[in-house]
């Protein structure tokens, strides 16, 4: 059965790959992005691949933009089966920073996109998700937000000095658990996923050193979005299974 899926930040990277994955399975995907030209170009590109997609402009850092997008989507569809919160940023450059620990403005901008933006999108689109017979909310997180992993000297990410990004993903994990508890008496399943170290434009290191393609990384997003009835809600997973909080 065809579903309706909305993915934030889906004009490139993991978001675009996830859009292709869902649409290839027969779903209708609503692409979103901050730039109208990028959204229109991506919609046209995927339609040329015979995929069922549409687009809406949405800046997750602007409540006005998010509410406007939600209103527009609600005029087009009756319910939303899968909401993927993919839009996110890494703004830190440890080599260039003159701050001992964390630059306050970078911390604020990171949290605004990666945490407040997600909460805003969930609040605006949740009424549509609740109309689905089997709604799914997928929050794209990171193992770098795992407190257990941050404290593990054997972790490959142990020395990564990006406190704003780490804090934002830890907070996103907390949002995931809070939302799952709030929706415990519904058919909505909420999942935080870590797609892994992916070849995207998130950082120069990703582009140059990451082992995973965006298409490979999108599989964990797709699996969470298509989780069967009875799946645990409030989980944190990667391609190998559960990730420690």
């Amino acid at each position: 059965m065809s579903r309706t899926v909305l993915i934030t930040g889906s004009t490139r990277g993991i978001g675009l790959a996830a859009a292709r994955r869902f649409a290839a399975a027969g779903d209708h995907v609503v692409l979103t992005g901050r730039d109208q030209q990028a959204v229109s170009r991506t919609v046209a590109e995927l339609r040329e691949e015979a995929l069922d997609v549409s687009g809406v402009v949405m800046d997750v850092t602007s409540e006005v933009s998010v509410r406007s997008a939600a209103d527009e989507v609600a005029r087009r569809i009756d319910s939303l089966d899968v909401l993927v919160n993919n839009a996110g940023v890494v703004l830190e450059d440890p080599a260039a920073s003159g701050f001992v620990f964390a630059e306050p403005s970078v911390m604020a901008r990171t949290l605004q996109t990666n945490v407040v933006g997600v909460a805003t999108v969930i609040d605006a689109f949740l009424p549509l998700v609740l109309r689905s017979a089997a709604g799914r909310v997928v929050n794209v997180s990171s193992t770098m937000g795992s407190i257990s992993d941050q404290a593990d000297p054997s972790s490959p990410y142990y020395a990564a000095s990006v406190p704003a990004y780490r804090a934002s993903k830890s907070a996103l994990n907390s949002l995931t658990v809070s939302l799952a508890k709030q929706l415990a008496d519904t058919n909505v399943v909420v999942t935080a996923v870590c797609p892994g170290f992916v070849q995207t434009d998130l950082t120069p290191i990703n582009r140059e050193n990451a082992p995973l393609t965006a298409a490979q990384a999108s599989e964990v997003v797709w699996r969470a979005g298509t989780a069967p009835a009875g799946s645990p809600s409030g989980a944190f997973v990667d391609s190998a299974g559960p990730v420690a909080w």
Side-chain angles (χ1 to χ4, degrees):
M1 183 178 67
S2 176
R3 291 156 300 190
T4 301
V5 182
L6 184 140
I7 305 173
T8 66
S10 46
T11 60
R12 61 179 183 170
I14 296 171
L16 175 56
R20 277 196 171 95
R21 183 66 178 90
F22 280 102
D27 296 331
H28 173 74
V29 180
V30 182
L31 305 169
T32 79
R34 292 177 296 177
D35 181 73
Q36 177 68 71
Q37 289 186 335
V39 171
S40 298
R41 181 174 61 249
T42 307
V43 168
E45 176 185 334
L46 296 190
R47 285 179 176 172
E48 287 180 2
E49 299 173 17
L51 298 176
D52 183 14
V53 300
S54 60
V56 64
V57 175
M58 182 168 68
D59 179 355
V60 302
T61 67
S62 165
E63 183 176 0
V64 171
S65 175
V66 172
R67 297 289 178 186
S68 175
D71 288 343
E72 181 175 342
V73 171
R75 288 192 290 269
R76 302 180 193 172
I77 63 175
D78 295 325
S79 63
L80 182 61
D81 301 298
V82 185
L83 172 62
V84 179
N85 288 298
N86 166 74
V89 295
V90 178
L91 302 175
E92 291 153 294
D93 182 356
S97 175
F99 288 81
V100 175
F101 175 56
E103 185 175 347
S105 64
V106 168
M107 179 70 75
R109 288 160 55 207
T110 301
L111 294 174
Q112 182 65 40
T113 300
N114 296 359
V115 184
V116 179
V118 173
T120 304
V121 169
I122 289 172
D123 198 66
F125 285 92
L126 191 56
L128 283 174
V129 176
L130 288 169
R131 293 178 193 167
S132 170
R136 301 291 180 263
V137 177
V138 183
N139 295 330
V140 178
S141 185
S142 170
T143 299
M144 293 182 74
S146 163
I147 301 298
S148 298
D149 191 79
Q150 290 186 52
D152 181 3
S154 68
S155 167
Y157 309 115
Y158 185 73
S161 182
V162 283
Y165 180 74
R166 285 186 181 275
S168 73
K169 293 304 183 181
S170 296
L172 178 59
N173 290 346
S174 180
L175 284 183
T176 300
V177 175
S178 294
L179 182 62
K181 290 192 294 184
Q182 182 172 326
L183 300 178
D185 295 330
T186 73
N187 292 323
V188 178
V189 175
V190 187
T191 312
V193 302
C194 173
F197 190 23
V198 189
Q199 298 164 14
T200 68
D201 291 329
L202 191 65
T203 72
I205 294 175
N206 285 72
R207 287 194 302 271
E208 298 162 5
N209 300 319
L212 296 176
T213 66
Q216 290 170 323
S218 71
E219 283 298 308
V220 70
V221 177
W222 184 78
R223 287 200 300 272
T226 57
S231 297
S233 190
F236 182 22
V237 301
D238 62 13
S239 60
V243 178
W245 295 112

